[in-house]
Amino acid sequence: MKYVLMFIETEEFAKEFAALGPAEQEEAYRRVYQWFEDHKDRITDRGSKLQGPETATTVRLDGGTVMTTDGPFIEGKEVVSGFTEIDVEDLDEALRMVRTWPACPVVEIRPVEQM
């Protein structure tokens, strides 16, 4: 079963990370890289870290009307900061992986629709 893991930052997490010293930030990144290494046999697409929400362009399709705006698609204090695709037996296995995620405080797990 394929799932996409969406790593979601909160404003509080981003502020706390920014307040870390360079060595502490480097250690935080090392833990993330290690997590990817530990799970490489189940990660099918390493994904990417996304640029900040202020770089987003949102397109709303509403009954034939198209509206394009700068910025994130919702007003909120949480933003998707990155993603990866995994291939695991079931949701339970995905949950076991996510429980060890060392960074953003929220991870959304979403099944990939099989075409």
Side-chain angles (χ1 to χ4, degrees):
M1 182 87 192
K2 288 190 178 185
Y3 292 91
V4 169
L5 306 180
M6 290 179 279
F7 306 113
I8 301 170
E9 286 185 10
T10 61
E11 285 182 351
E12 182 179 331
F13 176 83
K15 286 178 187 173
E16 289 172 2
F17 185 80
L20 296 175
E24 294 169 307
Q25 286 186 357
E26 187 175 313
E27 175 59 20
Y29 281 119
R30 188 203 61 74
R31 288 192 309 266
V32 169
Y33 297 140
Q34 185 62 53
W35 184 89
F36 278 100
E37 179 64 24
D38 291 347
H39 299 286
K40 68 182 177 188
D41 59 324
R42 293 172 276 183
I43 295 172
T44 58
D45 177 4
R46 192 143 183 165
S48 297
K49 170 109 173 98
L50 300 174
Q51 291 186 23
E54 69 280 359
T55 67
T57 299
T58 300
V59 178
R60 296 182 194 280
L61 307 171
D62 185 19
T65 302
V66 177
M67 178 197 249
T68 304
T69 59
D70 292 335
F73 60 96
I74 59 170
E75 293 295 323
K77 298 189 184 286
E78 297 180 343
V79 295
V80 176
S81 63
F83 62 93
T84 194
E85 185 180 287
I86 61 173
D87 192 354
V88 293
E89 274 302 310
D90 54 25
L91 180 58
D92 289 335
E93 187 175 356
L95 287 167
R96 284 191 295 276
M97 282 179 68
V98 167
R99 284 189 186 103
T100 64
W101 174 245
C104 304
V106 179
V107 179
E108 181 176 327
I109 304 169
R110 193 176 300 181
V112 174
E113 191 165 329
Q114 303 300 314
M115 297 268 192

